[in-house]
Amino acid sequence: MNRIRVLPLLPVGALALAGCGSKQDTLTPHGPAAKSVASLWWWLLGGAVVGLGTITALLILAWARRGSMGEGRQPGERAGWIVVVTLGIGVMVAGLAALFVVADIFVIRDTEAPAAGKTALTVRAVGHQWFWEFDYPGTSAVTADEMHIPARTPVLLVAKTADVIHSFWVPELNRKIDTIPGQRNAIELYADKPGRYRGSCSQYCGLQHAHMSMYLFADPPARYRAWLAAQSRPARPPTTALARRGERVFLQGACASCHTIRGTPAHGYVGPDLTHLASRTSLAGLTIPNRKDSLARWIVDSQHIKPGNQMPDLNLTGPQLQSLLAYLETLR
């Protein structure tokens, strides 16, 4: 019997636990804009608590004094009820007005795009179905699904889309921003300490919307400069016979028609830039880790891992696959 009584509580417990251990946490801000968003959340929670408390108190009072507004009651009692109801409505209106003022004056001002010249660095983000592309104006560096910025440095993030509406969101650093066809939107990103921050697309954009995530790495400035210099270089030519055979498989097959590898004749634009593929920690919008076995499974049967993506079946033989993997592992 005790177990039966506990059963109705299981869905409630599961719902409560679903919010625990998140890797994207709005309430753990690491930048001034994110702190403003978190503050607004607490203001909203406080307003909701006050509003719920007011309504609950009125309901309890009405239940306790039920019938007091009926015929035969004194006019003073009815007037008292009118005062109580008016007070309840006034509390709600005042609370909503206060929240509007806080959101408009403080939060929107703190999270909007920075003024020209305020930021030290600009990064462009392009949403694709279903991966993120990042490039760094003034350099030739292009990455996919993993963005790097220097810690404790204001960065201008300019977002656009290559197809449908997406939404760029790294909740620990700032609010979300939509990428709309034919339009550019911008926000400021600032990480108050080095670390890895997870982000995602927060606007439904098709079948694999749930698998369109990204990592933002906030590096110490010196490490960031070294990373950017390395990413700006073209791919190094392969040095082993197996890797050279893999390069031929890449350039002579379907790979080169969809992907770019700077320093080679491959200049495709459908899929991510692979110039420094081996330097990334993940693949396919953080769907799988960047390991040799995971990369092999992706090349052989990407539709099983991420159905609907634009990666075709390459129909490679075993030796072709092994040589291609050897080549891709050199792209650091």
Side-chain angles (χ1 to χ4, degrees):
M1 290 299 293
N2 290 334
R3 292 179 181 177
I4 294 175
R5 291 170 185 165
V6 171
L7 287 178
L9 299 176
L10 292 179
V12 178
L15 184 63
L17 291 174
C20 299
S22 173
K23 296 179 180 178
Q24 296 180 207
D25 190 356
T26 305
L27 300 181
T28 308
H30 289 283
K35 290 176 182 176
S36 295
V37 173
S39 296
L40 176 61
W41 188 93
W42 287 110
W43 275 92
L44 290 172
L45 178 62
V49 170
V50 171
L52 179 61
T54 302
I55 293 172
T56 302
L58 290 174
L59 289 173
I60 293 174
L61 184 60
W63 177 82
R65 300 289 300 277
R66 59 190 182 280
S68 64
M69 292 187 68
E71 294 183 2
R73 297 294 177 180
Q74 297 298 320
E77 291 181 314
R78 290 196 295 272
W81 274 108
I82 293 173
V83 170
V84 169
V85 172
T86 303
L87 180 61
I89 295 174
V91 169
M92 300 303 297
V93 171
L96 290 174
L99 290 175
F100 175 80
V101 171
V102 170
D104 184 57
I105 295 179
F106 298 103
V107 178
I108 294 179
R109 181 191 61 187
D110 292 342
T111 62
E112 63 185 1
K118 179 183 176 183
T119 55
L121 171 69
T122 298
V123 180
R124 286 193 293 248
V126 182
H128 298 259
Q129 288 179 310
W130 290 275
F131 68 94
W132 290 99
E133 177 185 309
F134 302 106
D135 68 84
Y136 298 73
T139 75
S140 57
V142 181
T143 65
D145 298 326
E146 296 188 1
M147 171 183 174
H148 287 246
I149 65 172
R152 295 179 289 274
T153 303
V155 176
L156 176 65
L157 188 284
V158 179
K160 62 179 184 176
T161 178
D163 36 59
V164 302
I165 296 176
H166 303 282
S167 191
F168 178 94
W169 190 31
V170 182
E172 292 174 89
L173 300 185
N174 206 335
R175 60 177 171 86
K176 63 184 69 173
I177 181 174
D178 288 341
T179 65
I180 301 172
Q183 183 174 324
R184 295 170 182 244
N185 290 326
I187 54 172
E188 179 180 314
L189 297 177
Y190 183 96
D192 59 16
K193 66 177 183 178
R196 186 180 73 176
Y197 305 95
R198 195 178 191 276
S200 63
C201 174
S202 59
Q203 172 66 45
Y204 181 73
C205 55
L207 180 62
Q208 288 299 323
H209 162 70
H211 293 148
M212 187 176 169
S213 299
M214 73 193 94
Y215 282 137
L216 187 151
F217 293 88
D219 301 324
R223 184 185 301 173
Y224 167 77
R225 289 191 293 270
W227 174 88
L228 186 62
Q231 294 289 317
S232 299
R233 301 187 190 103
R236 295 178 180 177
T239 57
T240 67
L242 182 62
R244 284 193 290 270
R245 287 197 297 271
E247 183 183 38
R248 288 195 295 272
V249 170
F250 187 96
L251 296 176
Q252 296 172 8
C255 304
S257 63
C258 293
H259 295 280
T260 289
I261 296 181
R262 285 175 278 119
T264 76
H267 295 290
Y269 57 86
V270 177
D273 185 299
L274 303 181
T275 304
H276 297 285
L277 171 68
S279 67
R280 301 172 196 162
T281 64
S282 61
L283 301 170
L286 311 193
T287 306
I288 53 177
N290 191 3
R291 300 195 307 256
K292 184 177 181 179
D293 58 333
S294 300
L295 181 58
R297 289 190 293 109
W298 176 259
I299 293 172
V300 171
D301 189 10
S302 67
Q303 296 301 322
H304 181 74
I305 298 172
K306 196 170 181 176
N309 80 86
Q310 298 187 51
M311 179 87 166
D313 185 354
L314 301 178
N315 295 314
L316 298 177
T317 65
Q320 286 177 321
L321 176 62
Q322 293 305 314
S323 62
L324 179 59
L325 289 171
Y327 172 58
L328 294 177
E329 286 187 311
T330 68
L331 302 177
R332 298 189 176 278

